[in-house]
Amino acid sequence: MIAAVGASASAPEAWLYLNPERTRPRPDGDAPRLVLFDRDGTLTVDDPPYNGDPARVRLRPTAREAVDVLRDRHIAVGVVSNQSGVGRGLLTRAQVEAVADRIEQLLGRFDAWVFCPHTPAAGCACRKPAPGLVLAATDALGVPPAATAVIGDIGADVGAATAAGAAGVLVPTAVTRAEEVAAAPVVAPDLLAAVRSLLPRAVA
């Protein structure tokens, strides 16, 4: 089960969880030391929206392969996720944690999870495209943002990466807008391709 820790100075109202046996990322040429994934629509199929039921978690194609490639190279992996369903009264913290636990059953342990529980109107520092979630994860894992990448399915994920000083990769789905695809610095057809785009060409 994921373990909650104290708030981060970068996003004091975010929910931060760390794996006590987390990866100690090591420099590896041009590869990032930390890759952060969005949750809904990226690691998992966003159906139903605001899912709080672990039994309804379904992985996106190549999610397992993508995460395994990173772990095999001793690259830390984490999740940064807006969960406005909490602020809207549609989800509880226990439900968010239960879904995260189910994802870890399917994909293995992540080094960090960081959630924003606020609605867009809350004006918090953590909700993507603000950089708070990304910075909270990099601070907690001791990895500079410049050595970090964020993979997501919408422009807010790429925007959070850019605002934090990290690399961003977009993996479009049916909900991704055309303008978000056009603006993304890197676009990949699936998660495994997104991960490979981050690795040196000789090993990708």
Side-chain angles (χ1 to χ4, degrees):
M1 182 175 179
I2 59 175
V5 299
S8 165
S10 298
E13 296 180 300
W15 299 347
L16 174 63
Y17 302 78
L18 290 177
N19 179 353
E21 299 177 355
R22 55 191 177 273
T23 303
R24 304 300 176 185
R26 61 191 187 198
D28 189 10
D30 295 330
R33 296 173 59 197
L34 167 63
V35 175
L36 300 171
F37 294 90
D38 171 55
R39 196 193 83 176
D40 304 322
T42 302
L43 286 176
T44 65
V45 176
D46 192 16
D47 182 24
Y50 309 116
N51 180 35
D53 183 356
R56 303 188 72 170
V57 170
R58 291 185 293 140
L59 298 180
R60 296 286 302 170
T62 75
R64 180 75 207 210
E65 296 91 331
V67 174
D68 284 348
V69 164
L70 295 170
R71 291 195 181 111
D72 287 346
R73 296 189 63 78
H74 300 279
I75 295 170
V77 290
V79 179
V80 287
S81 178
N82 291 345
Q83 291 296 315
S84 68
V86 176
R88 299 174 197 273
L90 303 174
L91 292 172
T92 66
R93 184 166 186 159
Q95 287 175 309
V96 173
E97 292 172 348
V99 168
D101 285 339
R102 176 56 180 159
I103 293 170
E104 290 200 332
Q105 290 174 5
L106 296 171
L107 293 178
R109 296 295 302 273
F110 284 83
D111 297 295
W113 293 78
V114 196
F115 297 108
C116 169
H118 308 111
T119 65
C124 64
C126 44
R127 181 177 171 82
K128 294 178 287 183
L133 295 184
V134 177
L135 293 175
T138 59
D139 289 350
L141 295 174
V143 178
T148 300
V150 180
I151 298 175
D153 67 315
I154 61 173
D157 301 312
V158 176
T162 301
V169 182
L170 185 73
V171 180
T173 66
V175 304
T176 313
R177 299 195 301 267
E179 58 267 31
E180 293 174 327
V181 177
V186 179
V187 178
D190 57 44
L191 288 173
L192 183 56
V195 164
R196 286 176 170 162
S197 76
L198 297 168
L199 300 178
R201 186 175 299 274
V203 299

